[in-house]
Amino acid sequence: MPERVPVISATLSKSIHNLARIMERQTTIKDIAQALRISTSTVSRALRDAPDVGEETRKAVKALAEELDYQPNKLALSLLNKQTNTIGIIIPNLDYVLATMVRGIDEVALEAGYTVMVCQSDESFGREMVNTKRLLDSLVDGFIISVSSETRVFEHIKKIQSKKIPLVLFDRVIDNVNVPKVKLDNVEGGRIATQHLLDQGYKKIAVIAGPENMNVSNERIEGHYEVLKQNKIKPDKNAIIHCEFNQDYAYIATKELLTGKNRPDAIFAISDRLAIGAMIAIKEFGLKMPKDIGLVGFNNEPITKLLTPAISSVEMHAFEMGKATAKIFIEMMHSDADLSEKEIVFKPKLFIRESSNRGL
Amino acid sequence: MPERVPVISATLSKSIHNLARIMERQTTIKDIAQALRISTSTVSRALRDAPDVGEETRKAVKALAEELDYQPNKLALSLLNKQTNTIGIIIPNLDYVLATMVRGIDEVALEAGYTVMVCQSDESFGREMVNTKRLLDSLVDGFIISVSSETRVFEHIKKIQSKKIPLVLFDRVIDNVNVPKVKLDNVEGGRIATQHLLDQGYKKIAVIAGPENMNVSNERIEGHYEVLKQNKIKPDKNAIIHCEFNQDYAYIATKELLTGKNRPDAIFAISDRLAIGAMIAIKEFGLKMPKDIGLVGFNNEPITKLLTPAISSVEMHAFEMGKATAKIFIEMMHSDADLSEKEIVFKPKLFIRESSNRGL
DNA sequence: TTACCCTGCGGCAACGATGCCGGAAAGGGT
DNA sequence: ACCCTTTCCGGCATCGTTGCCGCAGGGTAA
């Protein structure tokens, strides 16, 4: 073995020792190259353990990189590779269910090397558009979206698709759009809630629903109707009240229901927040649950157990849905398979509590 | 005025018309330059309305940019300007209070042109470190952090500071660190809660607190002690129970308190979640609030109003705190003033409800 | 000796955008 | 006729990193 003169002399590398504290800039590959009097290409290869780098050089580079706390500049890499390892998430708000889903997404995404940017649309279509634009500008690698209750047109979705950027819809999905979706079987949710109320002997069920154009809400109503039909009960259009996803609206709606001539003996609320609004109104009317009136909510938020009476509610597996969503996203990024038809549907589960449990 | 030959011929620009739909890549400044047979510099200047660009050229460039839906590449700009217009937020979780604060931050940040990256540490110090590293790698322009309950050493904070990256602490702040802070006057919060319980005739107040090293919790205890002292009541060390920020721990702790020989007649819980745990235990013991025992929580979560009995709680202005935090952050970015000593302190406000209201 | 192959490294271009400098063309002034 | 100014634009370097090509030097085989 011939004695090759090492490219880097020991004395030289000593003289660099106190460089780290002087630098206020982030160390770059060029700094290392200059200090070691070698080219940036070589430093780059040495750091990535490329084969064609001398042993001595590699060691010297790695040692200095360690010492100077070198961190590769992600911006430069992103510019080069045209990917940012970032996922843009757009959700209507950060309530319990969505926060839990985001936690699920985050967990899987982090594991796969992605960082998430969460934007809240605040249930506003305008802000959803703005968020989409911003995230598009930020060059996120893809989108995970749950649409706002106001969203009636889908230009922003089309725009994302036209740029061939991966997109997964979850929770509040849109049907006539060709992307993978992760959702709850909301129809089934409506079925089990309604069937349960009928089983408990309730005859006239009112539904407090979300906005009229909202799929999630409409699907639950669909399940409700199905079960009514199965049980040969004539549905009453007036028993379906649409309102914004907000406790106060539900409160008002319930008061009207209870004041009207055709007072229901049970209420199926499309979300727990709405159920709570209904509950407050019911209490004000001096009605007792489950005796005078039954109440079932949706989402199975922890607080439903804690209220008096505890509210029956339909569980939607938020955390698992979040994880599943992120997994599909990752799969889209890593494989060429066409997943646009993919749809993961979670099965709802009813938790029966005091508000509707007559023990029948 | 002399007839200058326009750089761009009308026919040429016509021939480009159907370019947009062919491109699947994002349009770049170079595409425009090539199409118009001018240099990228000129395109850049034209788009930014620089003075030394001919009128014809400017119009042609802008028209084509519009047509091709040109969007400047943020990555390239960030690499050049060394700023990403991104704020890294690290929080322990996304519970009601923090989600509300994040909404406040988001609102102000968006307005100022920043996008936020939210990372949850899940109350784990390890994940807080990992999150810091990731956001540092992502070259965020600055940090907004609320530390986890596990956090006992502050290397990651020091690291951020050593790189001279702007940092604002909020909610759960650290005292011996020289950065701007936004927080609640927790001592005062402890004072008003305790004073209220004394006013209502409770004699032996137990405190269900967070982990022992947690500032927020300890400050509230400090206020509690102060008021006891003012009222010449001898504090009982055993009446302070430390537990993780979790409803179940509070439930267990309360059961122990109520079983012990020195049973308290009031409980001050350092958070509403802990108060709920306590409430469940109290109910199991068959004790009535406010008659047998008083209960005060902290955070004033909406659910406190809804429980039976409704729980008295200390409001902490989460949304406003979030906005204030973001405003300081923006101020740090835009001015050279040294804000490291700045500390914004919000005043707590007690909402008295059934759980502690004996009508005295 | 010639021909060739490895090893180890440097140089250049590229990603998309901006800043700075220089320079051509045309006009004005003396 | 000369010089100088203005207008308008192109070229080059730069940000930090990687990929590709090429090349020197030494070794091996014919």
Side-chain angles (χ1 to χ4, degrees):
Chain A
M1 185 147 179
E3 281 271 329
R4 298 188 60 137
V5 179
V7 180
I8 299 127
S9 74
T11 53
L12 181 60
S13 83
K14 279 286 174 198
S15 77
I16 305 161
H17 249 71
N18 288 321
L19 222 66
R21 67 196 58 175
I22 305 174
M23 310 258 308
E24 83 283 340
R25 223 177 66 257
Q26 265 290 16
T27 312
T28 73
I29 232 173
K30 200 186 288 181
D31 297 322
I32 300 181
Q34 284 179 348
L36 262 31
R37 303 195 189 293
I38 56 180
S39 77
T40 57
S41 317
T42 305
V43 175
S44 172
R45 278 182 305 234
L47 288 173
R48 280 171 302 130
D49 284 319
D52 52 349
V53 179
E55 193 56 32
E56 309 239 16
T57 312
R58 187 197 317 281
K59 278 184 184 163
V61 168
K62 288 201 169 178
L64 190 54
E66 174 78 17
E67 186 179 352
L68 296 183
D69 189 31
Y70 167 76
Q71 297 298 130
N73 185 314
K74 279 209 175 173
L75 248 34
L77 288 175
S78 294
L79 183 59
L80 207 53
N81 304 330
K82 297 181 182 311
Q83 60 166 330
T84 53
N85 292 310
T86 300
I87 309 175
I89 300 181
I90 302 178
I91 49 179
N93 55 57
L94 267 175
D95 65 13
Y96 169 77
V97 172
L98 282 165
T100 306
M101 289 180 172
V102 168
R103 201 159 51 83
I105 294 173
D106 202 36
E107 187 162 303
V108 174
L110 224 69
E111 187 72 25
Y114 288 89
T115 310
V116 303
M117 302 192 68
V118 181
C119 293
Q120 302 179 55
S121 64
D122 240 352
E123 300 284 6
S124 142
F125 174 66
R127 291 195 54 161
E128 196 167 296
M129 291 287 288
V130 171
N131 287 331
T132 306
K133 194 170 170 343
R134 292 187 80 95
L135 291 174
L136 231 29
D137 283 352
S138 294
L139 298 171
V140 295
D141 289 344
F143 283 84
I144 292 180
I145 299 182
S146 182
V147 299
S148 87
S149 58
E150 244 183 61
T151 303
R152 285 166 175 78
V153 292
F154 310 128
E155 300 164 35
H156 52 317
I157 305 281
K158 304 278 182 201
K159 186 160 187 178
I160 293 171
Q161 284 190 296
S162 76
K163 290 184 190 287
K164 308 221 184 292
I165 296 175
L167 162 65
V168 181
L169 291 174
F170 77 112
D171 188 25
R172 304 208 203 149
V173 308
I174 299 166
D175 281 334
N176 55 342
V177 149
N178 207 31
V179 297
K181 307 178 186 79
V182 176
K183 55 175 289 194
L184 187 75
D185 186 342
N186 287 298
V187 179
E188 175 69 8
R191 277 195 287 255
I192 57 179
T194 306
Q195 188 60 57
H196 161 69
L197 286 170
L198 293 178
D199 290 346
Q200 293 293 319
Y202 296 103
K203 304 291 182 194
K204 282 200 306 212
I205 306 173
V207 179
I208 300 189
E212 299 191 30
N213 69 313
M214 193 168 166
N215 281 358
V216 169
S217 171
N218 292 339
E219 289 168 6
R220 292 173 192 174
I221 295 173
E222 188 184 326
H224 169 75
Y225 276 143
E226 274 186 24
V227 169
L228 289 189
K229 198 172 173 188
Q230 278 170 21
N231 288 270
K232 319 237 185 276
I233 299 173
K234 190 158 180 264
D236 175 10
K237 282 276 179 195
N238 296 324
I240 313 284
I241 312 285
H242 290 280
C243 59
E244 292 298 313
F245 252 109
N246 179 308
Q247 181 178 311
D248 299 332
Y249 286 97
Y251 168 78
I252 295 168
T254 305
K255 274 174 77 164
E256 285 179 9
L257 276 173
L258 298 180
T259 312
K261 47 186 177 286
N262 218 356
R263 176 191 283 191
D265 65 353
I267 291 178
F268 169 34
I270 237 70
S271 92
D272 285 334
R273 295 287 148 181
L274 297 180
I276 289 170
M279 190 187 81
I280 297 173
I282 291 171
K283 284 188 177 180
E284 276 190 19
F285 269 75
L287 298 174
K288 294 296 171 196
M289 292 165 280
K291 191 169 66 73
D292 305 326
I293 189 165
L295 178 62
V296 172
F298 216 107
N299 287 354
N300 199 27
E301 290 193 33
I303 116 166
T304 53
K305 304 196 252 302
L306 303 171
L307 296 168
T308 311
I311 302 180
S312 302
S313 191
V314 180
E315 163 72 39
M316 61 183 303
H317 316 285
F319 187 66
E320 293 303 323
M321 275 181 64
K323 291 215 290 186
T325 306
K327 278 178 189 160
I328 291 192
F329 183 89
I330 307 292
E331 196 181 338
M332 277 184 93
M333 299 300 295
H334 291 345
S335 94
D336 295 329
D338 177 25
L339 300 175
S340 63
E341 301 288 340
K342 185 144 186 169
E343 192 167 315
I344 294 186
V345 180
F346 280 77
K347 286 295 168 192
K349 183 181 171 199
L350 176 66
F351 284 80
I352 300 171
R353 303 202 177 89
E354 299 157 18
S355 70
S356 67
N357 190 0
R358 284 167 159 176
L360 299 185
Chain B
M1 185 143 178
E3 282 272 330
R4 297 189 59 139
V5 179
V7 179
I8 299 127
S9 74
T11 54
L12 180 61
S13 83
K14 280 286 176 201
S15 74
I16 305 164
H17 249 71
N18 288 322
L19 222 66
R21 67 196 56 174
I22 307 173
M23 310 260 306
E24 83 283 340
R25 222 177 66 256
Q26 265 290 18
T27 313
T28 72
I29 229 172
K30 199 185 290 182
D31 298 321
I32 301 181
Q34 283 178 351
L36 260 35
R37 301 199 193 292
I38 57 179
S39 76
T40 57
S41 318
T42 305
V43 175
S44 171
R45 277 183 304 236
L47 289 173
R48 281 171 301 130
D49 282 320
D52 50 349
V53 180
E55 194 55 32
E56 310 240 17
T57 312
R58 187 198 319 281
K59 277 183 184 163
V61 168
K62 287 199 170 182
L64 190 53
E66 175 79 16
E67 185 179 351
L68 297 182
D69 189 31
Y70 167 76
Q71 297 297 130
N73 185 312
K74 280 210 177 174
L75 248 33
L77 288 175
S78 294
L79 184 59
L80 207 52
N81 304 330
K82 299 182 181 309
Q83 58 165 333
T84 53
N85 293 311
T86 301
I87 309 176
I89 300 182
I90 302 178
I91 49 178
N93 55 58
L94 268 174
D95 65 13
Y96 169 76
V97 172
L98 282 164
T100 306
M101 289 180 173
V102 167
R103 199 159 52 83
I105 294 173
D106 203 37
E107 187 162 305
V108 173
L110 224 71
E111 187 72 24
Y114 287 89
T115 310
V116 303
M117 303 191 67
V118 181
C119 293
Q120 301 181 54
S121 63
D122 240 350
E123 300 284 5
S124 140
F125 174 65
R127 292 195 54 163
E128 197 167 296
M129 290 287 289
V130 172
N131 287 332
T132 307
K133 195 172 169 343
R134 292 187 80 96
L135 291 173
L136 232 28
D137 283 354
S138 295
L139 299 171
V140 295
D141 289 343
F143 284 84
I144 292 180
I145 299 182
S146 183
V147 299
S148 87
S149 58
E150 244 182 58
T151 302
R152 284 164 176 79
V153 292
F154 310 128
E155 300 165 35
H156 54 316
I157 305 281
K158 303 281 183 198
K159 188 161 184 178
I160 294 170
Q161 285 190 294
S162 76
K163 290 183 190 289
K164 308 221 184 294
I165 297 175
L167 161 66
V168 181
L169 292 174
F170 76 112
D171 188 25
R172 303 207 204 151
V173 307
I174 300 167
D175 281 333
N176 55 341
V177 149
N178 208 32
V179 298
K181 307 176 184 81
V182 177
K183 54 175 289 193
L184 187 74
D185 185 342
N186 287 297
V187 178
E188 175 68 9
R191 277 194 288 254
I192 58 180
T194 305
Q195 187 60 58
H196 161 68
L197 286 171
L198 293 178
D199 290 347
Q200 292 293 320
Y202 297 105
K203 304 293 182 191
K204 280 198 310 208
I205 306 173
V207 179
I208 298 188
E212 298 193 31
N213 69 312
M214 195 168 163
N215 282 357
V216 170
S217 171
N218 292 338
E219 289 168 7
R220 292 172 193 174
I221 295 173
E222 188 185 327
H224 169 74
Y225 276 142
E226 273 185 25
V227 170
L228 289 189
K229 199 172 171 186
Q230 278 170 20
N231 288 270
K232 314 231 186 284
I233 298 174
K234 192 160 177 269
D236 175 10
K237 281 275 177 194
N238 295 325
I240 313 286
I241 313 284
H242 290 280
C243 60
E244 291 300 312
F245 252 111
N246 179 308
Q247 181 176 310
D248 299 333
Y249 285 97
Y251 169 76
I252 295 169
T254 305
K255 274 175 77 165
E256 284 180 9
L257 275 174
L258 297 179
T259 312
K261 47 187 177 285
N262 216 358
R263 178 190 281 191
D265 65 352
I267 291 178
F268 169 34
I270 238 70
S271 93
D272 285 335
R273 295 288 146 179
L274 297 180
I276 288 169
M279 190 188 81
I280 296 173
I282 290 170
K283 284 188 177 179
E284 276 191 21
F285 269 75
L287 298 174
K288 295 296 172 198
M289 293 165 278
K291 190 169 69 71
D292 306 326
I293 190 165
L295 177 62
V296 173
F298 215 106
N299 286 354
N300 200 29
E301 290 193 32
I303 115 168
T304 53
K305 305 197 251 302
L306 304 170
L307 297 167
T308 312
I311 302 179
S312 302
S313 191
V314 180
E315 163 73 38
M316 61 182 303
H317 316 286
F319 188 66
E320 293 303 323
M321 275 181 64
K323 291 214 290 186
T325 306
K327 277 178 190 162
I328 291 194
F329 183 89
I330 307 293
E331 196 181 338
M332 275 183 95
M333 299 299 295
H334 291 344
S335 92
D336 295 328
D338 177 25
L339 300 174
S340 62
E341 300 288 340
K342 186 144 184 170
E343 191 168 316
I344 295 186
V345 181
F346 280 76
K347 286 295 167 191
K349 183 181 171 197
L350 176 67
F351 284 80
I352 300 171
R353 302 198 178 92
E354 300 156 19
S355 70
S356 68
N357 190 0
R358 284 167 159 175
L360 299 185

